[in-house]
Amino acid sequence: MQRFSGLRKSLSGFQRFGFSTNKIVDIKGREILDSRGNPTVEADIITSKGVFRAAVPSGASTGIYEALELRDGDKSRYLGKGVQKAVENINRIIAPALRGLDVTQQVQHDTNMVQSLDGSRNQYGWSKGKLGANAILAVSLALARAGAAHAGVPLYTYINRLAGKNSSRYYLPVPCLNVINGGKHAGNRLAMQEFMILPTGARTFREAMQIGCEVYHNLKKIIQKKYGMGATNVGDEGGFAPDIVDSTEGLALLAEAIQVSGHQGKVELAMDVAASEFFIAEGGKKYDLDFKNPKSGGREQRTPDELIALYEQIVNNYPVISIEDPFDQDDWDSYSKLRAKLGDRIQIVGDDLLVTNPVRIEEAKKKNACNALLLKVNQIGSVTESIEASNLSRSYGWGVMVSHRSGETEDNTIADIVVGLSTGQIKTGAPCRSDRLAKYNQLLRIEEELGQNAVYAGKQFRNPSNL
């Protein structure tokens, strides 16, 4: 901290005499805590304009093909989940390599960290196996904040330019509000992980949040009346976790809440199945819809074809317009079958399947497996690679849903990313818990700042450029 205090004094000297330079004065990494009380990585970029900070999220339901999240593995400390090694990699390897360089050279610095300072690879590209994706991403996100400040533009404009765009107007995303939690995000028996409301019929993002909050509060009353006070306890992402098993029961609760709130026709539904979490590979492919019940005896296991039939039934009976991770991350054949059957009616989103990785996105395109990307910056590990994944998906005509992780912080960078890339949709939890609302509140500020240059994606959330 003594070295850091000295930096602050030197920065005040820069600012006192009006001196400004694009050079990186220093980089500082540290271990902080995420919304689940687990350690994560934060980084500061120090320049003549000040200190620019970013923190990295962490998932509970993670794909096996994600870039490496480096943990210490010391069971005597945070149950092995410490990130001091990643922090040390920032302070001892990344900081000396980038100190003194131009902070606005985002692509150059990301490439240097990923390909030179780390350099580890696997069949899907740069794996971040040496430094850790959490170390690289913390610096990459902070670099973007600093770069925007030195370019004299908002972060969303800076992201827009990094993506090769020069937009005069920006699309505010439809918020995909996860209001009923299951899977690994909750202690109930519900296998499918997220049930979301999408206020596509709103005229502005501000109105969308009002509609979403009103449905959320009415849902709370309905759940409390039907299942008791304990059922309104919230999961990792702020959604409720009633003790239900049947996914259609969750959808029926949402439909009732929408009706009671008076927003029929303005709200559609989406699901994140997170099917990799209840996939059984042994003895023929099966999916266990009661996997959290040790006494189920396999009674709720379904074949891929039976699961496809269930999804078709759901889409026929409820206004579900998006299904994420409907199958295991290696069950390509089932993805292709579902795409052929429902792909012209709904968005089929690859999360664990794609892990924000251009190589797997290309593979999914060849196999006609899905028609949308879930963009999680920590799955791939840098701003530049995230933009590449988004641009590639958009070139295929796919939707792109920018997403948080279940373990979050107060960092709101993804709000600027979704506006800068104009992808039209964001998933960052329920309108509850400050780690989730940090993103939604930033989007409210951005919409206000943009004024007439802000266009709400609404019904065109999958391809807002059609507006």
Side-chain angles (χ1 to χ4, degrees), residues 332-357:
W332 292 98
D333 290 342
S334 298
Y335 268 96
S336 298
K337 285 182 182 179
L338 184 66
R339 171 77 190 272
K341 183 172 282 287
L342 293 178
D344 59 341
R345 297 173 61 188
I346 66 168
Q347 179 173 256
I348 300 169
V349 185
D351 175 17
D352 292 348
L353 181 77
L354 303 177
V355 293
T356 317
N357 186 302

Side-chain angles (χ1 to χ4, degrees), residues 56-122:
V56 175
S58 178
S61 171
T62 56
I64 61 175
Y65 300 109
E66 295 188 23
L68 175 72
E69 179 185 64
L70 185 61
R71 298 279 181 180
D72 296 339
D74 178 1
K75 297 296 184 181
S76 69
R77 187 175 182 275
Y78 285 114
L79 307 179
K81 293 185 177 182
V83 291
Q84 289 182 328
K85 291 179 182 177
V87 169
E88 186 176 349
N89 288 339
I90 291 176
N91 294 332
R92 295 194 178 183
I93 298 175
I94 295 175
L98 271 57
R99 198 177 292 128
L101 301 181
D102 186 343
V103 74
T104 65
Q105 300 301 306
Q106 182 82 36
V107 176
Q108 177 184 321
H109 299 323
D110 283 350
T111 302
N112 183 23
M113 287 190 290
V114 170
Q115 299 184 17
S116 299
L117 299 180
D118 185 286
S120 57
R121 298 191 61 131
N122 59 25

Side-chain angles (χ1 to χ4, degrees), residues 398-467:
W398 291 7
V400 175
M401 182 186 289
V402 173
S403 177
H404 65 163
R405 298 306 297 257
S406 55
E408 268 293 342
T409 72
E410 64 275 22
D411 187 288
N412 60 18
T413 308
I414 61 169
D416 286 82
I417 288 175
V418 72
V419 174
L421 297 180
S422 287
T423 69
Q425 47 187 317
I426 187 169
K427 181 176 83 163
T428 184
C432 174
R433 301 181 54 136
S434 58
D435 45 292
R436 313 297 150 178
L437 287 163
K439 288 73 166 169
Y440 293 131
N441 287 338
Q442 175 65 0
L443 286 164
L444 290 171
R445 299 181 196 106
I446 291 172
E447 183 177 58
E448 179 183 72
E449 181 178 287
L450 284 169
Q452 295 300 312
N453 291 323
V455 181
Y456 180 61
K459 298 286 185 181
Q460 295 295 323
F461 71 95
R462 293 174 62 181
N463 193 3
S465 59
N466 287 341
L467 289 168

Side-chain angles (χ1 to χ4, degrees), residues 172-181 185 193-202 204-205 208-209 211-213 215-216 237-239 254 266-272 319-324 347 349 372-376 399-405 414 418 423-432 436-437 439-440 443 456-462:
L172 270 292
V174 169
C176 305
L177 300 148
N178 174 19
V179 294
I180 292 182
N181 293 176
H185 291 175
Q193 188 163 275
E194 298 176 10
F195 294 77
M196 293 169 271
I197 53 173
L198 284 66
T200 56
T204 64
F205 182 80
M209 288 305 300
I211 291 171
C213 289
V215 173
Y216 180 77
E237 299 180 3
L254 297 186
K266 295 181 180 180
V267 182
E268 297 176 281
L269 306 179
M271 301 167 62
D272 174 11
V320 171
I321 54 175
S322 182
I323 299 179
E324 177 187 331
Q347 179 173 256
V349 185
L373 164 71
L374 194 77
L375 192 157
K376 292 176 174 174
V400 175
M401 182 186 289
V402 173
S403 177
H404 65 163
R405 298 306 297 257
I414 61 169
V418 72
T423 69
Q425 47 187 317
I426 187 169
K427 181 176 83 163
T428 184
C432 174
R436 313 297 150 178
L437 287 163
K439 288 73 166 169
Y440 293 131
L443 286 164
Y456 180 61
K459 298 286 185 181
Q460 295 295 323
F461 71 95
R462 293 174 62 181

Side-chain angles (χ1 to χ4, degrees), residues 217-265:
H217 291 304
N218 277 291
L219 177 64
K220 181 177 181 178
K221 294 177 183 177
I222 291 167
I223 289 175
Q224 183 176 326
K225 184 176 180 180
K226 288 188 175 184
Y227 305 99
M229 181 70 76
T232 58
N233 293 333
V234 298
D236 287 346
E237 299 180 3
F240 304 117
D243 193 18
I244 58 179
V245 180
D246 190 345
S247 59
T248 58
E249 188 174 354
L251 294 167
L253 288 170
L254 297 186
E256 183 178 352
I258 293 167
Q259 182 178 17
V260 170
S261 66
H263 294 304
Q264 303 97 313

